[in-house]
Amino acid sequence: MSEGPLLVVRPVPVLRQFWLVGGIHSAGIALFVGFLALVVLKFGADAVTGSSGDTNLPFALVWAATASGVAFLALWAFHYKAFVRDRGATTYTIFADRIEAARDGSARPSLTVPLDRVVDVHSTAGPLLRPVGLATITVVADQPPGRSGPKGRLWVPFPNVPEPDEVCALIRSLIPASRRSA
């Protein structure tokens, strides 16, 4: 494990992912939070004031809209961190015997995939990644048996990889011939 890396790949953040996926996720969850806040506030205000009907509805609507807005901004900030900032600080390092991913910008890898367990590697590029020449590389590895049960398969995605065909070819060349799937 002391040899140098064969290839260091830095994923490319794509702002379209952040705007589209982050916006849709954030808006959907924020709407749910707002609806939940509306129901809780309306019934809570009715129980406290002893009134019924629509007398507490304006109060509940204002605070539910506020809760929804705050949830949207918090979730959008989280998605910015995940899709832009963290991706920019991530590196995938391919060695002769393993793939390491340092996802938080630190020198220590947060994920290691031993190549002697890898059975397949493939790349997929959706409509957000394909126009900019990126893809998500997925490495399929055998998971050793453990407390959770018998041996299974583990799919490890490496998103936003530039030049995915060359990276896949390198990984395939490092997989032991006896382990390659057809």
Side-chain angles (χ1 to χ4, degrees), residues 51-75:
S51 63
S52 61
D54 293 337
T55 56
N56 292 319
L57 189 58
F59 164 79
L61 281 172
V62 167
W63 284 104
T66 302
S68 183
V70 168
F72 177 78
L73 292 175
L75 290 165

Side-chain angles (χ1 to χ4, degrees), residues 106-164:
S106 70
R108 293 181 33 182
S110 58
L111 173 71
T112 302
V113 179
L115 288 173
D116 61 349
R117 290 190 187 156
V118 173
V119 293
D120 193 21
V121 60
H122 60 276
S123 68
T124 55
L128 296 176
L129 296 179
R130 190 176 304 118
V132 290
L134 303 175
T136 296
I137 292 180
T138 304
V139 175
V140 182
D142 279 337
Q143 184 176 357
R147 285 192 260 173
S148 62
K151 181 169 74 169
R153 292 280 164 95
L154 182 65
W155 286 264
V156 182
F158 297 102
N160 294 22
V161 174
E163 301 175 0

